Amino acid sequence: MTAPSAPESTPDWLSGAVLYQIYPQSFADSDGDGIGDFPGVLRHLDYLAWLGVDVVWFSPCFASPFADAGYDVADYFTIAPRYGTNEDLRRVVDAARERGIRVMLDLVPGHTSHRHEWFRASAADPEDHRYIWSDRVGSPVSRWIPAPGTRDGYYLANFYPVQPALNFGYARMDPAEPWRQPVDAPGPRANRAALREIMAYWFDQGVAGFRVDMAFSLVKDDPGMVETGRLWTGIRQWIDRAYPDRALIAEWGDPGVSVPAGFHADFFLHFVGDALRSLWDNSQGSHSFRWGTEPCFFAPEGEGSMRPFLDAWRRATTAIGGVGHVALPTANHDFSRLAVGTRTREMIAPVFAFLLTWPTLPTIYFGDEIGMRYVPDAPDVEGADLDDGQRRQGSRTPMQWDGTEGAGFSTADPARFYLPLDPEPDRPNVADSLADPGSLLNQVQRLIALRRAHPALGSTAAVDVLHETYPLVYRRGDDHLIIINPRREPARFTFPSAAELHPLEVRGIAVDGDVMTAEGFSYGVFTRRL
């Protein structure tokens, strides 16, 4: 049995988009409480418009007790008071649209907070199966939590004990686990209906789509993700009928599966395979305890390989068949920033040159465009420091807007900030970066503008890799050549008629006849002379 095919349509606006992820509590604080909010975002929309991003994606912003930074939702229809009101978000949506920017939200469909009214009702009613309940401890033991209130037994938690798993059913029944319910049982049906209700509410408020947290995890024990695919394909078909210009982006990590299942795009992620780890995670940050020391390609030592990424990319794009997209993030709230370990902000411009000239949906994590670094000693806040060695808080520190004591993030005493600022005296900031034509920020802005001006650099034109070691060289379409050297040592490449190429954006590339010499941490985007 296979899942039904997803409709083959993608909103035009998504195909050309550059995305920007905002962790709302760390972006901009307007009221002096030390926590970012939507009025703070509103003040900086002109900056985002200047940068050239088309889509802003907010990490979870719904009402929550914040045991897991908002990934424990207590009310999907209400903005968390720390960020403002529903109307504040609507103002951001409207003002962003005036600047050509769409807003996407983060949807957490697999679990809620234990304080959600759905869970309280289910805990009081043995006939309510919106969550996964059992009269015994299942496997793994650590995820089965004693039932609260009057209900006997245990409930399944997805991550923390305060995150009970919503019941979307099991793909297979098992006599040893009699609590399993099929995907068409009343509880799973109610939860699927609730997903549509939540999405429709925010679509009607002008939201352009959702990034879907842990999208692969809803149906349990699902070999081949067949029932999970059926679930998302059904939702996609509904969206295409009722809201055809809206989009879903998966946190799945396997675009070759998730896009055919109904998503418009999916991320290559660090925790699924080696595709992204092989590029720019050098295991010196958030996951250093869990991961080994395999070198990545975009590391100053120059010992990595593009092969794992290229192989995964080709498999994914072949499976997608041109009806969706692979998204590449610079980082996110769970993983180390680009500036981490031995890779400093002075070394990461080649990452952006690659990201913004490769056929992907580039996604910039807030602050990466100025070279904010992963802060290794940041304190644990709202569940960021996990028992398995992940230290996520180092990528969640406040945005650095200027060189003042509070970095322009908040008027509060810095001791009251959501997380401490990067303590380094030379931390980068937006104001200084704007004033420096050679700054990383200005390079990123120019690369985004170049991508928009030259469709061959976008998400749909063909890519032909000519050299996959150092330097990385590839052709986009018929007329554009990109050369990237992310290592410290120079690298050379011979290209016939190189002297006839016209430079569009170049840093540290010299051309002598047919020989192109790339200095350390350099890149060049060229086109044929017209």
Side-chain angles (χ1 to χ4, degrees):
M1 178 184 294
T2 59
S5 299
E8 297 184 1
S9 61
T10 299
D12 291 340
W13 60 263
L14 184 64
S15 296
V18 174
L19 284 67
Y20 189 91
Q21 181 191 353
I22 290 178
Y23 194 67
Q25 49 266 64
S26 294
F27 192 67
D29 169 27
S30 71
D31 58 8
D33 67 354
I35 300 175
D37 48 46
F38 283 127
V41 172
L42 195 63
R43 296 178 182 178
H44 292 288
L45 286 178
D46 285 339
Y47 164 75
L48 297 175
W50 168 84
L51 183 60
V53 300
D54 307 277
V55 178
V56 170
W57 148 40
F58 290 108
S59 293
C61 55
F62 303 133
S64 169
F66 290 95
D68 187 18
Y71 283 90
D72 48 326
V73 178
D75 182 352
Y76 290 98
F77 300 97
T78 302
I79 294 300
R82 60 158 57 168
Y83 304 136
T85 64
N86 287 26
E87 184 58 30
D88 286 324
L89 174 59
R90 183 57 188 260
R91 291 189 186 99
V92 170
V93 170
D94 291 343
R97 184 185 300 113
E98 292 172 359
R99 292 162 174 80
I101 299 172
R102 288 173 168 82
V103 170
M104 299 185 75
L105 302 183
D106 209 309
L107 179 63
V108 186
H111 54 264
T112 68
S113 166
H114 68 308
R115 296 184 184 177
H116 197 293
E117 63 179 15
W118 296 346
F119 185 73
R120 290 175 173 172
S122 191
D125 181 2
E127 300 304 315
D128 185 311
H129 295 286
R130 294 287 295 275
Y131 297 82
I132 300 175
W133 299 94
S134 168
D135 62 353
R136 70 198 73 172
V137 173
S139 177
V141 173
S142 61
R143 291 177 57 191
W144 288 93
I145 314 302
T150 59
R151 187 157 187 162
D152 294 329
Y154 304 84
Y155 66 87
L156 179 67
N158 269 352
F159 296 102
Y160 291 110
V162 296
Q163 293 170 308
L166 285 163
N167 182 15
F168 289 92
Y170 284 75
R172 301 188 296 190
M173 298 298 99
D174 184 347
E177 297 185 352
W179 62 82
R180 294 189 178 201
Q181 293 191 327
V183 296
D184 59 353
R189 288 205 309 270
N191 287 330
R192 289 199 302 274
L195 284 185
R196 298 189 185 192
E197 183 182 4
I198 294 163
M199 291 182 184
Y201 176 83
W202 292 108
F203 287 158
D204 291 341
Q205 303 303 307
V207 169
F210 292 92
R211 174 268 195 187
V212 182
D213 181 68
M214 300 293 287
F216 58 85
S217 67
L218 271 60
V219 177
K220 308 299 184 186
D221 192 10
D222 186 15
M225 297 293 178
V226 173
E227 292 299 338
T228 303
R230 289 180 183 278
L231 186 156
W232 288 116
T233 298
I235 289 177
R236 169 67 179 275
Q237 291 171 338
W238 164 73
I239 288 175
D240 283 353
R241 291 192 305 270
Y243 300 94
D245 64 337
R246 305 307 204 268
L248 293 181
I249 301 179
E251 185 198 33
W252 193 307
D254 193 350
V257 175
S258 58
V259 171
F263 284 90
H264 297 87
D266 185 15
F267 292 99
F268 267 157
L269 294 168
H270 302 70
F271 61 75
V272 180
D274 293 323
L276 194 57
R277 272 183 283 178
S278 67
L279 281 182
W280 47 73
D281 190 282
N282 58 2
S283 302
Q284 299 182 68
S286 59
H287 288 62
S288 58
F289 179 78
R290 299 179 61 198
W291 291 346
T293 56
E294 290 297 317
C296 67
F297 186 80
F298 284 84
E301 295 79 12
E303 299 173 350
S305 170
M306 283 293 291
R307 176 52 48 189
F309 171 81
L310 292 175
D311 288 347
W313 181 270
R314 287 161 181 155
R315 286 194 301 270
T317 53
T318 298
I320 289 172
V323 299
H325 301 284
V326 179
L328 281 183
T330 59
N332 64 27
H333 57 286
D334 284 336
F335 296 95
S336 302
R337 290 185 175 277
L338 294 175
V340 59
T342 62
R343 188 175 55 226
T344 65
R345 70 174 180 271
E346 292 80 12
M347 303 174 182
I348 61 179
V351 172
F352 279 99
F354 171 76
L355 184 79
L356 293 165
T357 59
W358 190 258
T360 181
L361 291 184
T363 305
I364 300 170
Y365 183 54
F366 85 98
D368 278 353
E369 74 275 16
I370 62 171
M372 282 179 59
R373 74 179 185 112
Y374 173 84
V375 181
D377 299 320
D380 182 15
V381 173
E382 296 182 351
D385 195 351
L386 301 181
D387 291 340
D388 63 0
Q390 298 183 52
R391 292 185 54 81
R392 304 178 294 174
Q393 57 271 37
S395 294
R396 301 177 178 186
T397 56
M399 182 67 170
Q400 296 154 197
W401 292 104
D402 60 35
T404 62
E405 181 186 15
F409 166 69
S410 173
T411 59
D413 184 326
R416 296 178 54 220
F417 284 11
Y418 173 76
L419 276 166
L421 288 162
D422 181 353
E424 290 297 315
D426 65 341
R427 66 188 181 217
N429 65 76
V430 171
D432 290 346
S433 297
L434 286 171
D436 176 8
S439 69
L440 175 65
L441 174 61
N442 277 304
Q443 290 179 75
V444 172
Q445 191 271 340
R446 291 195 298 270
L447 285 164
I448 293 175
L450 195 66
R451 181 183 179 94
R452 179 167 288 113
H454 294 260
L457 301 177
S459 63
T460 57
V463 60
D464 180 18
V465 178
L466 306 181
H467 194 247
E468 64 180 54
T469 57
Y470 297 97
L472 172 66
V473 184
Y474 51 96
R475 185 162 39 209
R476 296 299 315 277
D478 296 326
D479 298 319
H480 291 75
L481 185 80
I482 295 90
I483 178 169
I484 295 175
N485 182 27
R487 70 179 184 179
R488 182 176 289 106
E489 297 299 317
R492 290 175 176 82
F493 179 71
T494 300
F495 184 73
S497 304
E500 299 178 6
L501 295 173
H502 175 66
L504 297 174
E505 177 71 18
V506 174
R507 170 180 141 167
I509 306 291
V511 179
D512 183 6
D514 292 346
V515 178
M516 307 179 79
T517 301
E519 298 177 1
F521 314 121
S522 63
Y523 64 86
V525 184
F526 298 86
T527 187
R528 296 184 185 275
R529 293 186 185 275
L530 301 178

